[in-house]
Amino acid sequence: MTDVEWRWLRSWSEDEITARLARASTLPLNFEVAEEEMTLENGWSQVESQAVLAHERPGPPSGDDAFAQLKHAILDLGFSDPRVVHGYFDAATPLQGRPVLLELKSVGLHYLCPVRVGAIRSGDEGERTVFGFRFDTLWGHIEAGREWFLLSKDHRSGELRFHIKASWREGHFPNWWSRLGFALMGRRYQRAWHHLAHARLRELLRTGLLERHGKAGGPPLPEPHLADLKIALKPVQFYSQRGMGQRLSGVEREVERVRRDRLLLPVGFGVLAGMRALSAPALLSHLLSREPVEAPEGRAHALASRRTSRVLGVLAIGELAADKTSWIPSRISPPALVARALSGALTGAAVAAPHRRPSAGRALLGAAAAVASSFAFYKLRQLATRRLGLPNVVAGLVEDAAALVLGTRLLAAMH
């Protein structure tokens, strides 16, 4: 069970759970970091929620009060909504070191994730009594980290508080789409589960009933003395912050996006040059004239001139008008094709080289895209006019609209 087990629209049988619990007791942790090192700065995301559940009679717990009832519910994982996370364990196993299987449910998918009770807190800490335990994730969990579940009672006020605190990173995923789904839906389910955990414990105190999560046959919940119990209504405090490691991966993804754009932008301007030879340099010059610091070095820096921008703008408008006439030569005629290839080469090289000299590789990429675009849109124009019967002017306007959309996308990508 070194990888995450998952199923679609079905759970595991009791025999399967028993066998997997036995194997889980031998699994190692899926991380090697001390708890005090699990900080935001070290790349560990932090998730925390807490809420006052109720107020009961002040003083230490008596053993038959609301604190005792909540303690039993927490031991049974009764705070966890089984629609989201269902826990399996053997109640006869000592709590310290107890293996637990968490069945995570999302949109019909079921993931069986092993954890172990790695630490326990129980006893008086100053003017309050605390009980709780910590889950440590094992190999095969989709997350890696530790999570505390702590119940406390303030002796002076009788306040009963439940606190969940986790430090985590992504663990193992069985496939790429599980990782994608976790990225898209994980935080939503996480927030919902935290809020429901506090709501379920409040409901237990209000009604005395709560669905049990452990095996049947566990000790019955005590009947508490609730005469002085007051259920709290204050909202749950929820906190979540991604670790620096997640932020750094975001920076790395941004770097990859920039690198990708520096390849796609020359292609995009080359395609635009194949559609309208002068629109590509006119569009790029318009942008660079407004932001000359982004202009390349060398002769291509002339595109950042406002005068060049105005001239190219006028020429591009003239080309749009001439395109609708019958006397303009075909775009795949040698002179027109060379002009479009040069336009694609110039803009492709210039757009991919801010603050430095244009590269020959980007120029060739832009030129190739321009030539391919010229032939592609020539064939599409023929299809529209000869087979579909559209007037040349209408077909030209449709192509103008497509060029406008492409130009807008290119501008947005550059920003």
Side-chain angles (χ1 to χ4, degrees), residues 56-69:
E56 66 174 354
R57 184 177 301 169
S62 61
D64 60 352
D65 54 6
F67 183 90
Q69 187 180 27

Side-chain angles (χ1 to χ4, degrees), residues 288-305:
L288 294 180
S289 67
R290 293 175 176 271
E291 301 178 21
V293 294
E294 296 295 323
E297 297 178 356
R299 294 182 180 179
H301 190 81
L303 287 171
S305 164

Side-chain angles (χ1 to χ4, degrees), residues 29-226:
L29 301 179
N30 62 353
F31 61 92
E32 298 179 352
V33 179
E35 188 171 11
E36 58 272 14
E37 297 176 2
M38 292 180 165
T39 63
L40 287 169
E41 294 73 22
N42 290 335
W44 292 87
S45 299
Q46 307 295 313
V47 180
E48 188 172 355
S49 68
Q50 58 179 309
V52 176
L53 303 178
H55 288 84
E56 66 174 354
R57 184 177 301 169
S62 61
D64 60 352
D65 54 6
F67 183 90
Q69 187 180 27
L70 289 170
K71 178 179 175 179
H72 278 264
I74 291 170
L75 278 171
D76 278 345
L77 304 184
F79 56 86
S80 184
D81 192 307
R83 296 171 298 178
V84 183
V85 180
H86 190 101
Y88 301 95
F89 60 92
D90 183 356
T93 305
L95 181 60
Q96 179 67 49
R98 174 185 293 174
V100 179
L101 296 176
L102 301 178
E103 183 180 357
L104 280 56
K105 305 174 184 179
S106 175
V107 199
L109 293 169
H110 298 246
Y111 299 91
L112 199 61
C113 301
V115 298
R116 180 180 297 132
V117 176
I120 301 172
R121 284 173 63 181
S122 181
D124 292 342
E125 299 179 2
E127 291 295 322
R128 64 177 188 149
T129 299
V130 177
F131 171 78
F133 53 87
R134 188 190 72 205
F135 278 162
D136 297 345
T137 58
L138 304 177
W139 187 260
H141 200 297
I142 62 174
E143 293 181 353
R146 294 185 164 104
E147 188 165 26
W148 276 102
F149 307 97
L150 295 170
L151 172 68
S152 65
K153 178 181 180 180
D154 189 292
H155 298 171
R156 293 167 295 184
S157 64
E159 176 187 274
L160 298 171
R161 181 181 292 269
F162 186 50
H163 187 188
I164 304 174
K165 184 177 182 180
S167 302
W168 68 277
R169 281 177 172 171
E170 289 184 3
H172 308 95
F173 287 90
N175 40 56
W176 66 266
W177 45 264
S178 290
R179 184 178 297 275
L180 176 62
F182 182 83
L184 295 176
M185 302 289 291
R187 298 194 75 178
R188 176 183 175 185
Y189 274 84
Q190 183 185 73
R191 179 184 291 271
W193 181 83
H194 273 259
H195 282 271
L196 287 169
H198 299 279
R200 285 173 63 83
L201 292 179
R202 284 176 175 170
E203 188 65 16
L204 166 65
L205 294 177
R206 183 179 294 110
T207 64
L209 299 172
L210 190 67
E211 180 179 345
R212 297 177 61 83
H213 280 233
K215 280 191 173 182
L221 296 179
E223 291 294 333
H225 299 298
L226 303 180

Side-chain angles (χ1 to χ4, degrees), residues 308-366:
T308 302
S309 176
R310 287 193 292 269
V311 171
L312 287 173
V314 172
L315 292 176
I317 293 173
E319 181 189 28
L320 292 178
D323 176 73
K324 314 301 183 292
T325 64
S326 58
W327 51 267
I328 191 170
S330 166
R331 74 182 75 194
I332 61 172
S333 64
L337 197 60
V338 169
R340 292 170 191 269
L342 291 175
S343 175
L346 172 64
T347 55
V351 75
H355 321 299
R356 61 181 188 272
R357 291 185 176 277
S359 69
R362 300 293 191 272
L364 289 174
L365 190 61

